[in-house]
Amino acid sequence: MRKILVVSHSSLAQGFVAAMDLICGGGNQVDFINAYLDDTPLAEQLKIYFSKLDPADEKIVLTDLAFGSPNNECAAYIKTHGIKLISGINLALLLSIVMEDKETALTDERIERLIQDAGEAIKYINKTLAENTYRDDFDF
């Protein structure tokens, strides 16, 4: 079974999951940890979370910043729990991962492609609009 966890500074993780639920209609069972909102250390939150998972589960963890403290805390679980850790989450990436076939494990190559595609979703719209001619406001 695939388990997806979003971890971030403050409540960003919860926001990503809420936006994903709105778009997808909910029921996708993506977990989140909002770090540093109370006195519970992130290391303890992660320990509790991973202790409840089946070792056979495929574990995908998305964090907000590469080498930020949530990402660094999660990195230890690469070796101990076999997580696939991806930093720099955006909504396009989360949606892509959620929509992947849950019966097939995500290969490293597939994850790299999803990351590339999600990165291409980042656009400076002012420039895009200036470079293209559109017939109306909805023709892009």
Side-chain angles (χ1 to χ4, degrees):
M1 175 181 250
R2 180 174 299 141
K3 296 291 186 175
I4 302 170
L5 173 66
V6 179
V7 183
S8 74
H9 295 88
S10 191
S11 57
L12 183 62
Q14 184 175 3
F16 273 116
V17 173
M20 183 241 5
D21 281 341
L22 177 72
I23 293 167
C24 295
N28 291 293
Q29 299 180 341
V30 174
D31 298 311
F32 63 86
I33 295 177
N34 294 323
Y36 315 117
L37 291 180
D38 60 25
D39 293 333
T40 307
L42 178 56
E44 183 64 24
Q45 291 174 293
L46 291 169
K47 181 179 176 182
I48 292 167
Y49 177 80
F50 285 111
S51 72
K52 295 177 182 178
L53 298 184
D54 184 329
D57 288 339
E58 178 183 31
K59 299 162 210 71
I60 310 292
V61 179
L62 300 112
T63 64
D64 51 1
L65 292 171
F67 308 110
S69 51
N71 190 80
N72 293 345
E73 291 281 348
C74 291
Y77 290 89
I78 294 170
K79 285 188 177 184
T80 62
H81 288 74
I83 71 167
K84 296 174 182 177
L85 180 60
I86 304 167
S87 67
I89 186 176
N90 66 20
L91 188 55
L93 179 60
L94 179 58
L95 290 169
S96 294
I97 290 172
V98 166
M99 290 185 218
E100 282 290 304
D101 177 16
K102 291 171 181 47
E103 302 302 316
T104 305
L106 289 173
T107 63
D108 291 345
E109 294 78 17
R110 184 66 187 144
I111 290 172
E112 288 290 340
R113 182 64 197 181
L114 293 172
I115 291 169
Q116 181 180 356
D117 291 348
E120 291 172 4
I122 300 171
K123 304 284 184 200
Y124 181 40
I125 298 301
N126 297 48
K127 181 180 178 190
T128 303
L129 291 174
E131 292 173 347
N132 295 288
T133 305
Y134 300 103
R135 288 173 277 164
D136 59 45
D137 289 343
F138 301 103
D139 186 29
F140 60 92

